[in-house]
Amino acid sequence: MKDKGTRIVQMVVVSFAVLVTMALAAQDKYTLKVPGGLSFAEFRGYESWQVVSISQDGPLVAAILANPVMIKAYMAGAPGNGKSFPDGAKMAKIHWNPIKSETEPGQPLVPDTLHDVDFMVKDSKRFADSGGWGYAEFEYDAASDTFRPGTTTDQPPQGHDAKCGFACHTIAKNRDYVFTAYPKR
């Protein structure tokens, strides 16, 4: 009886050790950071932000989300009213590889595997030299279920710093560097 109890305790200890090892091995995406200071952690909870718009970027489909600060500014008419977005405004753009739905009428394209997540934050002091906005792009690897900061070898190439999106966003300078409008609902 004593041997059976010892074996049960050993099995419980081994099982617990395996679970702890698995938990430690899993990536904590909130520890990732791009040079220049923009971190994934600054966007904790982005998954539940309000949808601003959707888009198709080349072969990818995307949802553009905004935090409550950004939504409030949109509701007040920014940037069309000539006002800039306030500090603390944040956006997330989630890209997926699409797949044709076999179960929906018309077989529309729907999100399949996650491709990457892009972030923007308005902080006019931290990012004074990039229109007041900081940018980050994190590529997702489905095989390992991990993220990594984007690099110049990605498509589109990322400068791998908090200003990686600034060069592209300068064409939207008159819209406070924001491409996405808040469409009528």
Side-chain angles (χ1 to χ4, degrees):
M1 188 73 164
K2 189 175 181 184
D3 286 339
K4 185 177 181 183
T6 302
R7 278 187 267 146
I8 290 173
V9 169
Q10 288 174 335
M11 287 175 32
V12 168
V13 169
V14 168
S15 296
F16 182 72
V18 167
L19 289 173
V20 168
T21 301
M22 287 172 56
L24 291 174
Q27 180 192 45
D28 179 4
K29 64 186 176 186
Y30 296 111
T31 62
L32 295 175
K33 189 174 188 178
V34 297
L38 207 56
S39 70
F40 212 120
E42 293 181 64
F43 299 87
R44 190 179 299 272
Y46 73 92
E47 300 91 340
S48 64
W49 291 352
Q50 184 174 332
V51 172
V52 174
S53 188
I54 57 170
S55 68
Q56 183 172 359
D57 297 338
L60 304 175
V61 294
I64 298 94
L65 315 174
N67 73 345
V69 173
M70 187 91 175
I71 293 296
K72 184 177 178 183
Y74 270 127
M75 295 292 100
N81 62 1
K83 294 187 179 181
S84 297
F85 289 97
D87 280 359
K90 297 178 181 179
M91 296 183 83
K93 188 173 190 180
I94 306 168
H95 289 105
W96 292 276
N97 295 299
I99 189 169
K100 194 179 282 191
S101 174
E102 300 297 328
T103 59
E104 296 179 45
Q107 297 183 318
L109 289 178
V110 296
D112 187 26
T113 54
L114 182 61
H115 186 273
D116 67 83
V117 180
D118 303 344
F119 295 123
M120 287 176 63
V121 62
K122 182 73 176 265
D123 187 328
S124 56
K125 290 180 184 157
R126 242 169 100 191
F127 305 110
D129 59 346
S130 58
W133 290 94
Y135 304 86
E137 191 263 352
F138 295 95
E139 290 286 322
Y140 179 72
D141 180 59
S144 63
D145 190 27
T146 59
F147 286 90
R148 64 167 175 76
T151 67
T152 55
T153 62
D154 293 319
Q155 290 302 319
Q158 301 297 315
H160 195 62
D161 62 22
K163 298 176 210 154
C164 67
F166 183 60
C168 185
H169 282 253
T170 57
I171 62 174
K173 183 178 180 179
N174 66 340
R175 297 186 43 78
D176 194 19
Y177 301 94
V178 174
F179 291 122
T180 307
Y182 193 88
K184 182 147 180 74
R185 303 182 184 221

